[in-house]
Amino acid sequence: MSSDSWDPGAMGDQSGRTVLVTGANSGIGFEVTKAFGAHGAHVIMACRDLDRARSAREEIRNTVEEPTLSIEKLDLADLNSVRAFAETVQADYSELHVLCNNAGVMAIPRSETVDGFEMQFGVNHLGHFVLTGLLLDKLEETPGQSRVVTQSSGLHERGEIDFDDLQGEQSYDRFDAYAQSKLANVLFAYELDRRLQAADAEITSVACHPGYAATNLQRRGPEQSGSRVRLWLMKVANVVFAQSAAKGALPMVRAATDSEVTGGDYVGPGGLLNMRGAPEIQRSSDRSYDETLARELWDVSVTLTGISYDLPDPRAESGSGSETDE
């Protein structure tokens, strides 16, 4: 199906499939949840704020006929919460067909997660790195092809991974930190797929971005810094340039369901400056395809979180690395 005609109707019947969406109570995550619920999937709404999650679930139930929606507590800024959540999913859900790594924070003043990581890098990348690793067995055990979809941003193109100051302790710019975390998302998605392929796993990993979508994400930075001017400018930009959150959710929905999307693909809006429009398979930044950079980020992520994946290093055959993460 051509990209200019793709819409949620192309998802087909998702009955019998279990989909996990992080940050499901608002913005892109809410719309992804709604789309899957409308097409019959059982959606696990992974949310930090359970009250907001319940309100979101009720809103979806008022617009979608009999959706199957479960709510589970997940705080990506606390790795103990991630571990507890993964244990719940392993114990309470028999299958997991799609993991949507969607939740994130954007351009906020510097703060740290419970584990001492810079908040944007810790939530956007490390939290999802740990979550995916802990749920890999569940994805592998699920019959058929499972899929991991990781949400990035067009701003990943300005991102660099500063291994000398990964946590922004020496110098911090909120947008540079966000861009770094979003580049990390794409590097992780591609490296994960390479390792899954090397293991002959029935799981694919893809990346996506929503373009410029009007959500609460853009407001949090100005609100936390107390900048009324930035908040006003962001609201104006959302009105003038942004597409709706429902449209911004389509790249993730397509990345999660379309058989034309294969491992290592990158899906985003195909319209004006890739900020809006129907989702299409695109090329991400040149830096995002740097396998040496991706492997270094992977190894650092394992060291920082203590979470290793039982997957072979695809470069081990050439003698450039060990067979599995240590």
Side-chain angles (χ1 to χ4, degrees):
M1 179 172 291
S2 63
S3 62
D4 61 357
S5 61
W6 201 95
D7 60 52
M11 293 173 63
D13 185 11
Q14 298 292 311
S15 299
R17 291 167 60 80
T18 300
V19 179
L20 194 163
V21 182
T22 66
N25 59 272
S26 65
I28 302 298
F30 173 86
E31 296 295 343
V32 171
T33 299
K34 185 177 178 181
F36 271 107
H39 286 78
H42 179 185
V43 184
I44 305 170
M45 301 174 66
C47 305
R48 181 175 57 86
D49 188 321
L50 295 183
D51 287 337
R52 292 178 62 193
R54 294 185 188 102
S55 296
R57 180 172 63 180
E58 190 62 27
E59 184 177 347
I60 292 173
R61 285 174 171 172
N62 288 335
T63 58
V64 172
E65 185 176 354
E66 298 184 354
T68 306
L69 308 173
S70 300
I71 294 174
E72 301 291 350
K73 171 78 171 181
L74 172 64
D75 184 355
L76 290 163
D78 181 351
L79 294 188
N80 282 334
S81 173
V82 178
R83 294 185 182 95
F85 170 82
E87 289 176 2
T88 297
V89 173
Q90 293 280 12
D92 295 351
Y93 299 89
S94 59
E95 296 179 334
L96 181 60
H97 299 86
V98 181
L99 169 59
C100 291
N101 290 326
N102 165 76
V105 291
M106 176 182 176
I108 58 174
R110 190 185 186 282
S111 59
E112 295 185 351
T113 69
V114 171
D115 304 280
F117 306 127
E118 185 276 314
M119 186 65 71
Q120 298 190 79
F121 187 75
V123 170
N124 298 353
H125 169 60
L126 292 176
H128 284 120
F129 180 88
V130 171
L131 177 64
T132 304
L134 294 175
L135 293 180
L136 207 62
D137 287 347
K138 181 64 68 176
L139 289 159
E140 180 66 33
E141 293 165 1
T142 299
Q145 191 80 30
S146 299
R147 193 170 292 192
V148 178
V149 184
T150 300
Q151 186 81 273
S152 183
S153 163
L155 284 176
H156 87 275
E157 296 181 3
R158 72 176 262 184
E160 297 181 9
I161 308 297
D162 185 357
F163 290 109
D164 293 327
D165 189 23
L166 201 55
Q167 310 302 336
E169 296 170 306
Q170 301 171 34
S171 176
Y172 181 79
D173 176 272
R174 67 191 68 192
F175 282 101
D176 287 345
Y178 179 70
Q180 174 181 253
S181 73
K182 293 289 101 178
L183 174 60
N185 288 150
V186 187
L187 289 166
F188 164 65
Y190 295 167
E191 180 67 10
L192 175 60
D193 194 70
R194 285 189 285 267
R195 293 177 184 240
L196 290 168
Q197 288 188 41
D200 292 325
E202 290 295 306
I203 310 171
T204 57
S205 172
V206 301
C208 65
H209 77 98
Y212 190 170
T215 70
N216 292 331
L217 188 67
Q218 298 99 335
R219 288 189 2 225
R220 288 174 187 154
E223 287 175 346
Q224 289 186 23
S225 63
S227 174
R228 293 183 179 180
V229 173
R230 284 185 57 220
L231 182 60
W232 180 81
L233 290 173
M234 193 65 70
K235 289 180 178 178
V236 171
N238 277 358
V239 171
V240 176
F241 298 109
Q243 60 183 355
S244 68
K247 291 289 183 64
L250 294 185
M252 176 160 272
V253 172
R254 182 176 186 183
T257 62
D258 189 356
S259 61
E260 292 184 3
V261 175
T262 59
D265 277 347
Y266 179 69
V267 182
L272 177 67
L273 300 176
N274 294 335
M275 292 194 301
R276 56 193 303 143
E280 65 177 18
I281 300 171
Q282 302 174 339
R283 179 176 172 83
S284 53
S285 69
D286 290 345
R287 189 177 288 117
S288 70
Y289 295 103
D290 185 333
E291 294 188 23
T292 300
L293 178 62
R295 186 188 182 195
E296 186 174 0
L297 175 66
W298 185 282
D299 291 343
V300 167
S301 300
V302 170
T303 299
L304 289 173
T305 65
I307 296 296
S308 61
Y309 287 54
D310 187 19
L311 293 174
D313 184 335
R315 287 147 294 239
E317 294 181 0
S318 62
S320 61
S322 61
E323 291 187 357
T324 58
D325 300 318
E326 298 295 339

